[in-house]
Amino acid sequence: MRDQWNSRTGFLFAAIGAAVGLGNLWRFPFQAYKNGGGAFFLPYFVAIITCAVPLMIMEYTYGRRIRGGSTKAFAKLKKKFEIIGWVQVMVPIVVMMFYSTIISISVVFMIYCIGHAFGVVNWMSNPGPLLGAITGQAQNAFDFASGFSFYMLGAVVVVWFANWAIVRQGISGGIEKASKIFTPMLMILMIIFMINSMTLEGANIGLNALFTPDFSKILNPSIWVAAYAQVFFSTTLAVGVMIAYGSYLGEKQDIVNNSFITVLSNSSFDIIAGITVFSTLGFLVNKQGVSFDSFGNGAGVAFIAFPIAISTMSSNIVVQGILGFLFFFCLFIAGISSSISMLEAFNTAALDKFKISRKKLTSIISIVGFIGSATFATYCGFNYILDLVDSYVANYVIATLGLVEVIAISHIYGTEKLREDANQYSDFKVGKWWDYLLKYFTPILLGITVITNFVSGIMQMFDMDSVTLLSNVVFGWGTVIVMIGVAIVFCKRPWQVEIE
């Protein structure tokens, strides 16, 4: 008998945890900052209503109706479409391989925060040397001789063990129970850090930088593309996660409200993260006399700026250590809540097709995933290969899959049937406007995003030096080709479980 969520609360916490991740902490704030500040919120909220919510309703509804993950979902449309489902669930596996290395830095920093509290090591006022020791240095993407980060490799074991231990227990016994703890804890901790960050001297400098609108940019098409890309990628759509989670929903679940709650909760976390990040950066800009750009727009925010900010909140090293531990534990929770959903997306797809136990499958994928993570735990892997793989998977694969998915499901299965299923037990009903969004409006916008990304990527390759170009081909396009190749192999294997 197919597992199901025990409660609506458990499902929502799991879905919100899947959508909310480490990327919210820096991707949204800096997307808004560089794309018009307060003016960015207009296209951002338009994208939520016209893209994220309709697609979330579609994935939940179709997953529940099919009672299967992405592979079964697309195979039921047309047998030859099964390949789309396999490519979809290859995305979270690849992402988990490098995502776990980012989470691992949080684990290392948590340990060092404990050491800081006990006076063993004083590092929080100057975290650069520690981060440098963890991530190391490499000359280029092929510089494997630069070595492994044993800090990172050891912490990756912890991350993959946590994923394995939770997902092997199933939906109701593992993911739901963990999400009921992790997601509320993450929300509470982030709200506390947001409130505290707003009280820092100079916080208004950061908030003005984030929210002051530059309406001259609002007519720039690239701003709208950036807004749709942000909303699309941050909600974990088109990679098999939400279809899998929807397949475990009970027959009488309120699909429409659940979709709105999931998307708006993720967006709320975006805004909370934006306020927290820029209030903290405003404090550091005011105190140190540096610019916002000096902290970068990625790991530098969480792993450089925040330890410094936390160290200035109190002169007591015990308090500094405790606050630091809580913050990086918060990042760890955000990472794990997302990564378990990624592992489950592939598990659901494979369990639908092959006769294999969940525990055995989870063990196999966890071992393969850890080996893949070991590649990113090299100095060249973390400093070069990670960015390449992330860029190609996010900009080309996910956007394309989203476009293909919405066209295939809305035009072949039919939005009318989906709408009837979604509305049946929902308090808030969606009307025919939803059909038009899925059939026409959303595909056009996603199509523009896909074409823009491809053209931009190809044009950039003409300006690359030979080493950079080769690394883009090998690790960027190479990863895409390997994902498609593995998907074809799984697709060609016969179904061992009958499709209902």
Side-chain angles (χ1 to χ4, degrees):
M1 183 176 176
R2 190 175 186 84
D3 200 356
Q4 285 192 5
W5 304 102
N6 282 329
S7 66
R8 181 182 183 183
T9 303
F11 161 70
L12 284 171
F13 279 151
I16 293 166
V20 171
L22 290 176
N24 296 70
L25 193 67
W26 55 72
R27 195 179 194 278
F28 171 78
F30 281 91
Q31 284 292 313
Y33 173 62
K34 73 180 183 181
N35 287 308
F40 180 76
F41 285 88
L42 174 60
Y44 174 75
F45 285 120
V46 171
I48 288 172
I49 299 302
T50 61
C51 182
V53 172
L55 282 172
M56 192 69 71
I57 295 171
M58 182 187 77
E59 292 202 1
Y60 282 166
T61 305
Y62 192 58
R64 186 181 66 176
R65 174 54 54 200
I66 297 301
R67 291 291 176 205
S70 286
T71 52
K72 184 177 178 180
F74 283 98
K76 288 276 285 185
L77 286 178
K78 281 189 178 181
K79 181 63 181 73
K80 63 182 181 181
F81 286 174
E82 182 189 335
I83 183 67
I84 301 171
W86 282 113
V87 175
Q88 274 198 348
V89 297
M90 286 304 302
V91 171
I93 293 299
V94 171
V95 170
M96 279 186 73
M97 289 179 181
F98 66 76
Y99 193 61
S100 63
T101 61
I102 301 174
I103 303 172
S104 73
I105 300 179
S106 298
V107 176
V108 176
F109 273 33
M110 284 162 56
I111 295 170
Y112 269 79
C113 284
I114 296 172
H116 186 94
F118 283 97
V120 177
V121 55
N122 190 334
W123 66 279
M124 294 184 70
S125 61
N126 183 23
L130 175 57
L131 184 61
I134 296 170
T135 60
Q137 293 183 343
Q139 299 300 313
N140 54 57
F142 301 100
D143 187 15
F144 287 99
S146 59
F148 271 99
S149 171
F150 290 100
Y151 281 100
M152 200 177 290
L153 193 62
V156 164
V157 174
V158 176
V159 175
W160 274 103
F161 178 80
N163 291 323
W164 170 81
I166 294 169
V167 176
R168 73 192 294 269
Q169 298 301 322
I171 290 295
S172 57
I175 293 175
E176 183 170 357
K177 287 182 178 179
S179 298
K180 280 184 174 181
I181 298 170
F182 287 167
T183 304
M185 188 182 298
L186 174 62
M187 291 176 176
I188 292 168
L189 286 172
M190 281 306 300
I191 289 172
I192 291 172
F193 278 109
M194 178 189 70
I195 294 171
N196 179 76
S197 68
M198 293 172 69
T199 65
L200 298 174
E201 185 179 355
N204 62 305
I205 299 173
L207 294 177
N208 286 336
L210 176 63
F211 289 111
T212 300
D214 180 0
F215 289 110
S216 66
K217 293 185 177 182
I218 204 72
L219 297 178
N220 187 338
S222 66
I223 305 305
W224 289 81
V225 170
Y228 274 85
Q230 168 63 28
V231 168
F232 190 74
F233 298 140
S234 71
T235 47
T236 326
L237 291 163
V239 295
V241 171
M242 296 309 180
I243 289 179
Y245 275 17
S247 74
Y248 298 109
L249 279 171
E251 192 62 37
K252 295 186 178 182
Q253 282 283 348
D254 187 328
I255 293 284
V256 177
N257 282 347
N258 286 347
S259 299
F260 272 97
I261 292 170
T262 303
V263 173
L264 294 179
S265 296
N266 177 69
S267 301
S268 298
F269 192 88
D270 272 347
I271 295 170
I272 289 171
I275 293 172
T276 306
V277 168
F278 271 82
S279 293
T280 303
L281 293 183
F283 164 74
L284 293 173
V285 166
N286 179 66
K287 186 175 182 65
Q288 299 181 354
V290 295
S291 67
F292 287 103
D293 296 332
S294 64
F295 298 103
N297 58 3
V301 173
F303 302 122
I304 294 293
F306 277 100
I308 297 173
I310 291 169
S311 72
T312 60
M313 292 177 188
S314 171
S315 58
N316 188 309
I317 62 170
V318 176
V319 175
Q320 292 175 1
I322 292 172
L323 289 174
F325 179 86
L326 287 173
F327 178 76
F328 290 109
F329 182 62
C330 183
L331 295 193
F332 175 74
I333 291 174
I336 293 298
S337 63
S338 292
S339 62
I340 58 176
S341 71
M342 296 180 201
L343 182 53
E344 181 55 38
F346 187 91
N347 266 10
T348 299
L351 290 171
D352 284 340
K353 183 168 184 175
F354 305 117
K355 289 183 178 179
I356 183 172
S357 72
R358 169 178 285 272
K359 292 185 177 180
K360 182 179 180 181
L361 175 63
T362 305
S363 297
I364 293 171
I365 299 304
S366 296
I367 292 170
V368 173
F370 171 75
I371 293 171
S373 294
T375 301
F376 294 102
T378 59
Y379 293 138
C380 64
F382 188 83
N383 289 293
Y384 290 97
I385 301 174
L386 188 155
D387 286 339
L388 285 170
V389 175
D390 180 32
S391 175
Y392 277 78
V393 171
N395 291 337
Y396 304 129
V397 181
I398 297 178
T400 304
L401 286 171
L403 177 62
V404 171
E405 176 187 279
V406 71
I407 292 174
I409 294 178
S410 64
H411 286 274
I412 297 176
Y413 184 79
T415 54
E416 293 81 5
K417 286 191 291 183
L418 282 171
R419 178 159 47 83
E420 288 176 9
D421 286 345
N423 285 338
Q424 188 174 4
Y425 298 104
S426 296
D427 294 330
F428 173 70
K429 316 290 184 183
V430 291
K432 289 188 176 181
W433 58 267
W434 185 72
D435 299 42
Y436 293 115
L437 281 177
L438 286 181
K439 282 186 173 181
Y440 310 110
F441 191 74
T442 303
I444 290 172
L445 290 169
L446 288 178
I448 293 171
T449 301
V450 169
I451 293 170
T452 301
N453 286 338
F454 270 102
V455 172
S456 175
I458 292 171
M459 295 302 293
Q460 287 175 7
M461 293 181 76
F462 287 106
D463 296 325
M464 294 177 183
D465 59 69
S466 58
V467 175
T468 304
L469 179 60
L470 183 61
S471 60
N472 272 262
V473 172
V474 173
F475 298 111
W477 289 114
T479 299
V480 175
I481 292 169
V482 169
M483 289 170 63
I484 296 172
V486 174
I488 291 172
V489 171
F490 280 118
C491 186
K492 287 188 175 296
R493 294 193 61 183
W495 281 75
Q496 298 172 0
V497 179
E498 185 177 350
I499 304 180
E500 300 173 0

